[in-house]
Amino acid sequence: IFTTGSLVKNYFKKNSTKIQNIHMVITGKKFLNKKFNIKRILSSETCNILICPEGLYTETDIMFNLGLSLSQKKTKFNFNFRIHPELKQNKKYMGNLNNRIKNFRNFKISNNSLDDDINHNHILIYRGSSICVNGVLGGMVPIYYKLHNEISLDPLFEINQFKAENESQILRYIDLLRLHKNKKKLNNKMKSLMNYCKLYYENFDEKKILKYL
């Protein structure tokens, strides 16, 4: 069984009863990795927020509507919306989205690389997208948006405490993250998140699979 990292490997072992004759090999890939810099959030007059839906039209619509609404309430903040590459191929769909944001100065559809988006933004709002792992490793604070009464889609469900079920909770998190009095607590939470995410994706080691062949 091929897994992305030791975190997934151990989770599979813990929840499986028949693994005696099954070998698991890590075949993931490490991504951008840097230290969390709280000054990016505290020192900026504005705040750059990245919104990442999954590659589904329904999920994209949910997050797009959320982003538009948040941008109207936080007019001094910049909201960047990252659309899955496959959906970007649909010109009609993209045209509709672009038409909806013509009058929004602080809401843009990103055409940057993932690393550039992570470097440019401070906070990540996500649902089921695994980009949350990349974001944490790049020093972004992740906020999981959960719809009411739904089963969690959060890839970081075991560790992430930043969870919101409505706009008000998201806005409250954003305000709390920017308060200097919460500096120590935020640093500790991000340290735990980053240690967790480092085990989510790990580089493939060819020697480990060869010993099973």
Side-chain angles (χ1 to χ4, degrees):
I1 297 175
F2 296 103
T3 69
T4 58
S6 57
L7 186 73
V8 179
K9 178 181 176 180
N10 293 334
Y11 187 80
F12 189 94
K13 283 183 175 181
K14 185 173 65 175
N15 291 277
S16 178
T17 57
K18 298 179 180 179
I19 61 171
Q20 290 82 1
N21 297 317
I22 297 176
H23 304 294
M24 284 182 277
V25 179
I26 294 172
T27 58
K29 175 185 176 182
K30 287 191 175 181
F31 295 96
L32 178 71
N33 193 342
K34 62 182 184 181
K35 291 182 179 180
F36 171 63
N37 183 3
I38 197 169
K39 291 181 180 179
R40 296 180 70 204
I41 295 178
L42 297 180
S43 63
S44 303
E45 289 185 7
T46 184
C47 185
N48 297 329
I49 299 172
L50 183 65
I51 302 175
C52 289
E54 296 172 85
L56 302 169
Y57 288 107
T58 51
E59 288 295 315
T60 302
D61 289 341
I62 289 170
M63 297 294 270
F64 196 82
N65 292 332
L66 172 69
L68 288 181
S69 183
L70 291 173
S71 68
Q72 290 176 309
K73 295 178 173 65
K74 288 288 186 181
T75 55
K76 292 184 178 181
F77 290 4
N78 299 312
F79 291 83
N80 299 291
F81 194 81
R82 184 174 181 84
I83 298 177
H84 194 280
E86 287 192 16
L87 272 60
K88 277 193 169 183
Q89 303 303 313
N90 188 331
K91 293 182 179 180
K92 182 178 179 180
Y93 183 69
M94 290 300 300
N96 289 334
L97 295 184
N98 281 311
N99 285 333
R100 292 180 62 190
I101 62 173
K102 281 184 177 179
N103 298 321
F104 287 79
R105 292 185 178 182
N106 63 330
F107 187 97
K108 295 180 180 180
I109 294 175
S110 173
N111 290 311
N112 299 327
S113 69
L114 177 56
D115 283 354
D116 283 344
D117 271 339
I118 291 173
N119 280 321
H120 179 67
N121 292 276
H122 311 122
I123 295 172
L124 171 68
I125 300 175
Y126 71 102
R127 277 175 48 74
S129 175
S130 60
I131 285 179
C132 61
V133 178
N134 306 65
V136 169
L137 292 176
M140 298 179 71
V141 180
I143 299 176
Y144 172 66
Y145 178 51
K146 179 182 181 296
L147 298 183
H148 187 60
N149 287 332
E150 78 168 355
I151 297 174
S152 177
L153 306 173
D154 188 3
L156 305 178
F157 70 97
E158 290 184 309
I159 187 72
N160 190 14
Q161 297 179 30
F162 302 112
K163 304 175 189 291
E165 291 193 7
N166 53 56
E167 290 178 29
S168 296
Q169 291 178 2
I170 292 176
L171 292 171
R172 183 170 178 272
Y173 269 132
I174 293 173
D175 289 336
L176 288 173
L177 290 171
R178 291 168 59 79
L179 293 177
H180 284 264
K181 67 178 182 179
N182 294 325
K183 182 177 178 180
K184 184 176 180 180
K185 185 182 291 185
L186 178 57
N187 271 321
N188 289 336
K189 286 183 178 180
M190 284 303 298
K191 183 177 180 180
S192 296
L193 276 164
M194 295 185 86
N195 288 336
Y196 182 91
C197 288
K198 285 176 183 177
L199 301 176
Y200 209 103
Y201 293 111
E202 297 177 80
N203 285 335
F204 170 60
D205 186 349
E206 185 179 352
K207 294 179 180 179
K208 289 185 178 181
I209 192 172
L210 290 175
K211 70 179 182 180
Y212 297 125
L213 299 178

